[in-house]
Amino acid sequence: MSASINPTSGTFDENSPENLSTVITWNDAASVTAITIVVEGETVELIANEDYTITDIDGLTAELTFLMGAKYAPATKGEMDIPCTIAFDYGTNAVYTIHYIFVDFWNVAFNVTSSGSPVANATISIAGEELTTDDNGQAITELENGVYAYAITKDGYVTYEGSVTVSDEDAEVNVELVSGIAETGVTLTKLYPNPVVDVVTLERNTTEQVTLEVYTNSGALVETLNWNTQTLHLNVADYKNGVFHIRILGNAVENLRFIKQ
């Protein structure tokens, strides 16, 4: 008189949670009377249809599914094995082991300022979500360990791009936005190559007289020139490596960006 389960274990990763299941072979045992787990020394009885379900397959076998919930979550960070004891109305107990992988999340706080003053309503794009700074120029998100690229945008400021590393502790990111280059949706000029080593070429379908300004990523003006041809070859051989912004001032304001290598 016994019952068995197969498989006898499963892995629950908080980062990609999925319900775990196993198949019970009844043999001579009629039904499950109780399922208990031991989490960090404390025994907890699971509740049918809330913590687990049992679905008959063919009268001799049934599928036992664990509905992963808060009862399985240990306070200890890291990985641990959680034994589940399955008791039948008679016969030997069966044990199913949950290998629990704890995924820890840390606070990442952004402080966005300009000329020392907080910048409210700036948009921070990071890890597939968008944050908005409050009146204090602050925004907070939770991320697990890793390296995350982010971009901070607000009309009237240079877009700021960077990355933050999360490694077993909270992180704080302080960003100073530079005003003076408004981001617009106007794109009339083709720029290539990008990245560039010596000469960047700009092409357009007009000879309108415009003013072209080049800025560093920190907002410092590098040079200003007039442009009244369709093609312009801008010599950047003496520029330092990094990101540069071009603002074209004419009937419309156009903003471009290139990387100097």
Side-chain angles (χ1 to χ4, degrees):
M1 296 183 295
S2 64
S4 62
I5 58 173
N6 184 34
T8 58
S9 65
T11 298
F12 177 68
D13 184 342
E14 280 192 340
N15 193 41
S16 53
E18 295 180 357
N19 291 331
L20 302 179
S21 64
T22 186
V23 173
I24 302 173
T25 301
W26 298 108
N27 295 334
D28 295 324
S31 63
V32 172
T33 57
I35 298 180
T36 58
I37 62 175
V38 178
V39 181
E40 297 182 325
E42 180 181 357
T43 300
V44 179
E45 183 169 350
L46 304 187
I47 300 174
N49 298 318
E50 179 178 323
D51 303 312
Y52 70 91
T53 60
I54 296 177
T55 305
D56 181 74
I57 297 176
D58 57 13
L60 297 177
T61 58
E63 182 178 48
L64 166 62
T65 301
F66 296 93
L67 308 178
M68 307 305 292
K71 291 182 180 180
Y72 299 84
T76 302
K77 300 175 182 178
E79 300 183 23
M80 67 182 300
D81 287 332
I82 301 175
C84 304
T85 300
I86 306 169
F88 301 95
D89 59 347
Y90 52 85
T92 305
N93 293 342
V95 176
Y96 181 91
T97 301
I98 297 175
H99 182 64
Y100 190 95
I101 300 177
F102 185 97
V103 178
D104 205 3
F105 288 81
W106 303 93
N107 287 329
V108 178
F110 287 86
N111 300 304
V112 182
T113 58
S114 180
S115 300
S117 299
V119 177
N121 298 316
T123 300
I124 304 170
S125 301
I126 184 170
E129 66 173 327
E130 288 192 347
L131 315 175
T132 302
T133 55
D134 60 18
D135 289 341
N136 296 316
Q138 298 177 336
I140 299 176
T141 187
E142 290 185 336
L143 297 170
E144 60 184 282
N145 286 345
V147 179
Y148 299 88
Y150 65 85
I152 303 178
T153 58
K154 182 176 172 64
D155 287 345
Y157 295 86
V158 178
T159 296
Y160 188 97
E161 296 182 340
S163 65
V164 58
T165 300
V166 180
S167 180
D168 295 332
E169 63 180 355
D170 294 339
E172 186 173 10
V173 181
N174 299 308
V175 173
E176 180 79 5
L177 292 184
V178 177
S179 62
I181 302 180
E183 296 293 336
T184 71
V186 179
T187 304
L188 303 173
T189 303
K190 181 179 180 181
L191 180 152
Y192 63 91
N194 192 10
V196 59
V197 175
D198 296 317
V199 176
V200 61
T201 299
L202 293 89
E203 290 184 353
R204 59 181 181 159
N205 294 322
T206 178
T207 58
E208 174 197 353
Q209 175 80 32
V210 296
T211 299
L212 186 145
E213 299 172 342
V214 182
Y215 292 84
T216 66
N217 199 41
S218 62
L221 181 63
V222 178
E223 64 176 303
T224 301
L225 55 97
N226 294 322
W227 182 20
N228 57 8
T229 60
Q230 289 188 338
T231 302
L232 174 67
H233 301 290
L234 180 63
N235 190 339
V236 298
D238 294 333
Y239 285 22
K240 294 182 179 180
N241 292 349
V243 177
F244 290 84
H245 299 261
I246 294 178
R247 181 167 64 171
I248 301 173
L249 303 172
N251 291 329
V253 178
E254 186 175 1
N255 294 287
L256 305 172
R257 182 174 59 182
F258 67 90
I259 298 173
K260 169 63 170 66
Q261 292 183 335

